[in-house]
Amino acid sequence: MGAVWSPSGGPDLGAAGVAVARADAGRRPRGEERSTVLADPPPFLPLRSVGPGTVLDGGFDVLRFRLGRMVGLAATLYVPLLLVQFLLELGDGLVTDPGSGAGSTPFVVLALGASGTGAGLVFVLLNQVALSLLGLAAGFQVAAWLEGQDPSYGTTLRYLLRRSWVALVVVLLAAAVRVPFLCLSVLGWWLADAFLFTVSSAAGAEGLGPWAALRATFRRVRHALGFAMVVSLGSLAVSVVLRTALWVGPLALVSVAVPSGLVAVLVARLGALVLLVTEPLVACIAARAWLELRCRTEGYDLERWRDAR
């Protein structure tokens, strides 16, 4: 029989076979979410401060730890958006008209949504809110794993529904913050992304409101700016590489093999489902970066080690 892992960060050798009785372990208060006990230790334990490369790898580990759950949440958020986008384009004749060129620029379609319908900015906002919700979900999951709990898909989805307003306000605050940073061109965008990358994860993990999450993240990133910049840029690079390999590459091959504008449009729309992998991965990297920022700037790993002692 293996050792029972402790949420404090390591194996709890003394816990095997020990039962604890609690007088208050009766009925849960109404409205309290059910969460199963986490059977296996999450991939980031035992906690210790690591470098940006390990954080990026750790994002992959966090995603693999509950891959089906994170992809399911992404599908719940993104598939309706993609379907509405497709129906709007179908209604405007963009899908049935090969000469419209709607399928020739998949990255533009991803960024602007239903191009040609006048709803592009709305889809930009909705895509950003969906990504922010995934950030909340990843942070919520990581925080629960640290406490030895494993919230289900349903529990996490109900949590997102209750706090969907947080994701929306975070996106609006982030847009307002980016404006002065963008005056510095590419460097400004990079700085803004470094400061904003983990805001949604902080809100989900710590149960903070939008403004409190923004302030907490700015305080932490200010003391670890180089680390945050490397992680945000690395996350972007990973996302672009995956989208190119899983979406743009197959689209280019199909366009050469089957020179049909209609086929290219349909392949581009189906290829957009790569979001179900890339966006959960970005959210998991952000959640792992949030955890590392707490360890670097607040000694969170030392606090847990002290509590375990």
Side-chain angles (χ1 to χ4, degrees), residues 186-214:
V186 176
L187 179 60
W189 175 87
W190 188 9
L191 283 170
D193 195 60
F195 276 101
L196 298 169
F197 186 58
T198 60
V199 174
S200 295
S201 296
E206 301 175 66
L208 301 175
W211 183 246
L214 189 66

Side-chain angles (χ1 to χ4, degrees), residues 244-265:
T244 302
L246 300 178
W247 188 7
V248 180
L251 176 60
L253 291 175
V254 170
S255 299
V256 172
V258 185
S260 168
L262 178 59
V263 173
V265 170

Side-chain angles (χ1 to χ4, degrees), residues 25-305:
R27 298 175 58 185
R28 294 174 180 266
R30 178 172 296 182
E32 183 177 338
E33 299 291 353
R34 294 180 178 273
S35 182
T36 59
V37 176
L38 188 64
D40 302 316
F44 44 74
L45 291 184
L47 280 183
R48 63 184 184 278
S49 186
V50 296
T54 304
V55 168
L56 293 172
D57 288 340
F60 283 90
D61 294 335
V62 171
L63 178 61
R64 283 195 298 266
F65 191 65
R66 291 295 181 266
L67 178 62
R69 185 179 304 161
M70 291 302 298
V71 171
L73 290 169
T76 303
L77 296 172
Y78 280 102
V79 169
L81 290 179
L82 294 173
L83 181 60
V84 170
Q85 174 184 322
F86 180 80
L87 293 177
L88 288 175
E89 292 177 345
L90 186 64
D92 281 3
L94 298 179
V95 173
T96 57
D97 179 14
S100 66
S104 60
T105 53
F107 277 111
V108 173
V109 171
L110 171 63
L112 298 182
S115 56
T117 65
L121 291 178
V122 174
F123 276 91
V124 169
L125 176 62
L126 292 177
N127 283 331
Q128 291 301 310
V129 171
L131 180 57
S132 182
L133 284 169
L134 280 180
L136 261 75
F140 175 68
Q141 295 272 326
V142 167
W145 297 342
L146 286 169
E147 300 303 322
Q149 302 298 313
D150 190 20
S152 64
Y153 164 86
T155 298
T156 306
L157 184 59
R158 288 190 293 271
Y159 176 81
L160 294 183
L161 290 175
R162 288 200 309 269
R163 307 207 68 207
S164 56
W165 67 274
V166 175
L168 175 61
V169 176
V170 164
V171 169
L172 297 178
L173 286 175
V177 170
R178 288 182 189 275
V179 172
F181 278 96
L182 289 177
C183 296
L184 302 175
S185 187
V186 176
L187 179 60
W189 175 87
W190 188 9
L191 283 170
D193 195 60
F195 276 101
L196 298 169
F197 186 58
T198 60
V199 174
S200 295
S201 296
E206 301 175 66
L208 301 175
W211 183 246
L214 189 66
R215 288 194 306 167
T217 302
F218 267 55
R219 183 182 66 251
R220 292 163 185 159
V221 172
R222 192 175 65 239
H223 297 291
L225 180 58
F227 163 82
M229 292 182 69
V230 173
V231 170
S232 66
L233 184 62
S235 174
L236 175 64
V238 168
S239 177
V240 169
V241 168
L242 286 177
R243 292 182 189 184
T244 302
L246 300 178
W247 188 7
V248 180
L251 176 60
L253 291 175
V254 170
S255 299
V256 172
V258 185
S260 168
L262 178 59
V263 173
V265 170
L266 295 176
V267 172
R269 297 304 175 269
L270 290 175
L273 293 176
V274 72
L275 291 172
L276 304 187
V277 177
T278 59
E279 304 309 90
L281 176 59
V282 171
C284 290
I285 293 175
R288 183 63 184 89
W290 162 81
L291 190 56
E292 174 60 21
L293 283 172
R294 289 205 64 185
C295 292
R296 282 175 176 250
T297 63
E298 300 172 0
Y300 184 57
D301 52 338
L302 300 179
E303 289 180 5
R304 292 180 62 84
W305 178 83

